Amino acid sequence: GAVVSQHPSWVICKSGTSVKIECRSLDFQATTMFWYRQFPKQSLMLMATSNEGSKATYEQGVEKDKFLINHASLTLSTLTVTSAHPEDSSFYICSADRDGNSNQPQHFGDGTRLSIL
Amino acid sequence: ILNVEQSPQSLHVQEGDSTNFTCSFPSSNFYALHWYRWETAKSPEALFVMTLNGDEKKKGRISATLNTKEGYSYLYIKGSQPEDSATYLCARGGTSYGKLTFGQGTILTVHP
């Protein structure tokens, strides 16, 4: 149980393109979903916390107009990187939990490798 | 300690060896400590979530301890196997609201 699907797993696109990444909880309802970014040899950095039906909460330094997050249902959250540039190239990964409480494990997708040319 | 720090960064052991690594974290406003195993091309898999000082948890050959007063957790693997090769991540929760701060991970390679 507790399977999270993330799609696509790999994206290569030209500078200026907008890219949408989907994160789905397949067998449970996710009250809260989290979006992380990982640069080479660095830790997973939380970008934003997404709650169903409300606006995402962004971490300091993360541009909300650049990284649009939508959590339209209890099983789907999307991250759109708008007008992506080479510096946005990174590994993006989502996670979900059932009740938004940090005493419960998070369930991760497989991640998306984004390369902007 | 301001951030979550893991040591060592990488570790090579022989099959059958027992090993351990460390996660250090800010002890103030502590809520929970998570350990995940992350194999290449897969998603991170939860191993343990610990909340109480002195907590010890065990899952097969893997166990973990927690000291919230001094801000550290140890992960132990007994009799390492090649399939234990992975990156082991720890993460600290500072509130009840699910937000985690991750360490950089320890990359474990177990040689047959």
Side-chain angles (χ1 to χ4, degrees):
Chain A
V3 177
V4 174
S5 172
Q6 186 173 341
H7 178 81
S9 55
W10 191 282
V11 180
I12 301 174
C13 58
K14 293 182 179 179
S15 185
T17 307
S18 291
V19 177
K20 180 185 279 189
I21 303 169
E22 291 189 349
C23 181
R24 293 180 184 272
S25 56
L26 298 185
D27 55 358
F28 68 101
Q29 292 188 326
T31 304
T32 307
M33 288 185 172
F34 303 91
W35 288 96
Y36 296 88
R37 178 169 53 184
Q38 186 183 39
F39 292 109
K41 298 190 179 182
Q42 295 188 21
S43 58
L44 291 177
M45 296 296 293
L46 181 66
M47 298 175 67
T49 302
S50 166
N51 291 293
E52 184 264 340
S54 62
K55 290 184 179 179
T57 302
Y58 291 81
E59 294 300 301
Q60 193 171 11
V62 178
E63 299 174 58
K64 55 184 168 185
D65 294 331
K66 174 77 169 176
F67 300 99
L68 300 179
I69 292 172
N70 185 281
H71 193 154
S73 75
L74 284 172
T75 59
L76 174 64
S77 177
T78 60
L79 167 68
T80 301
V81 184
T82 61
S83 186
H85 291 286
E87 59 266 27
D88 299 321
S89 298
S90 187
F91 181 77
Y92 295 85
I93 190 168
C94 69
S95 71
D97 68 25
R98 297 175 194 270
D99 59 8
N101 194 313
S102 63
N103 65 5
Q104 297 297 316
Q106 292 185 10
H107 307 286
F108 285 84
D110 287 343
T112 298
R113 178 79 53 193
L114 176 61
S115 296
I116 309 297
L117 304 177
Chain B
I1 300 252
L2 297 178
N3 296 313
V4 178
E5 297 174 0
Q6 291 187 246
S7 63
Q9 287 189 338
S10 65
L11 194 55
H12 291 257
V13 301
Q14 290 297 126
E15 182 175 356
D17 288 349
S18 292
T19 187
N20 66 86
F21 10 99
T22 306
C23 174
S24 302
F25 54 86
S27 55
S28 60
N29 298 318
F30 171 85
Y31 193 78
L33 193 284
H34 295 220
W35 281 101
Y36 294 87
R37 174 170 58 202
W38 194 358
E39 296 179 67
T40 302
K42 294 186 178 180
S43 57
E45 171 200 357
L47 291 173
F48 306 112
V49 178
M50 296 184 287
T51 57
L52 299 176
N53 184 45
D55 242 355
E56 290 189 33
K57 293 210 171 181
K58 188 174 180 182
K59 188 176 184 178
R61 295 179 291 100
I62 304 176
S63 60
T65 61
L66 178 66
N67 183 320
T68 61
K69 292 185 178 180
E70 296 182 38
Y72 64 84
S73 175
Y74 294 136
L75 188 79
Y76 301 92
I77 302 178
K78 186 177 178 182
S80 303
Q81 299 297 309
E83 56 265 30
D84 295 329
S85 297
T87 298
Y88 290 82
L89 300 173
C90 73
R92 171 189 176 274
T95 69
S96 65
Y97 298 111
K99 179 176 163 178
L100 298 178
T101 301
F102 280 83
Q104 286 183 298
T106 293
I107 303 170
L108 174 67
T109 305
V110 182
H111 299 279

